[in-house]
Amino acid sequence: MNAPSRPSLKSITHTPTGPQAAPQPVDTTAVGGPKVAAEGVRSALRPDPQAGDGRYPVAWLRITAPRGATPTATSTCLCGRDRSAVGHRRVLALIADHTAHRDTCPLRTPQEGRAAA
């Protein structure tokens, strides 16, 4: 005997053939500024931390010392100084040299002030 044929339980959905516009949000009238958080949540506007006392970085010292590997360091400055060191003793010497450069860098201590002192 043959089993009666059953209708397929899967339905075929219609697939659009062309592009469709995405649903657009409902237009609302804006009152006040844009929302930062959910309603009822207070938000404090803080001053920009970058707009401070006029100081900015001039020199950078980057030290890389992974465990079990040879340490390296680079010392760069906006005045054009660019030095690097490899090895424990040389990195320590570069750190001392970078610290001493603070007193001699023309960007940190203008030459006119040195002559007047």
Side-chain angles (χ1 to χ4, degrees):
M1 279 188 46
N2 287 342
S5 64
R6 292 184 160 178
S8 175
L9 297 177
K10 295 182 181 179
S11 62
I12 299 174
T13 57
H14 174 69
T15 306
T17 57
Q20 293 182 343
Q24 299 298 314
V26 178
D27 290 339
T28 58
T29 55
V31 178
K35 285 189 179 182
V36 177
E39 265 187 65
V41 177
R42 294 183 182 183
S43 63
L45 298 176
R46 298 180 187 254
D48 184 12
Q50 302 293 330
D53 55 4
R55 296 185 298 172
Y56 59 94
V58 175
W60 296 266
L61 177 64
R62 179 179 176 166
I63 303 168
T64 306
R67 184 179 304 245
T70 305
T72 60
T74 57
S75 171
T76 55
C77 183
L78 290 179
C79 71
R81 183 178 187 272
D82 187 10
R83 298 187 180 172
S84 62
V86 178
H88 189 74
R89 271 187 279 149
R90 290 183 179 181
V91 167
L92 290 175
L94 182 63
I95 293 170
D97 186 51
H98 180 84
T99 305
H101 178 69
R102 290 180 181 178
D103 297 331
T104 60
C105 178
L107 297 177
R108 289 183 51 109
T109 54
Q111 297 302 322
E112 298 94 30
R114 289 179 158 264

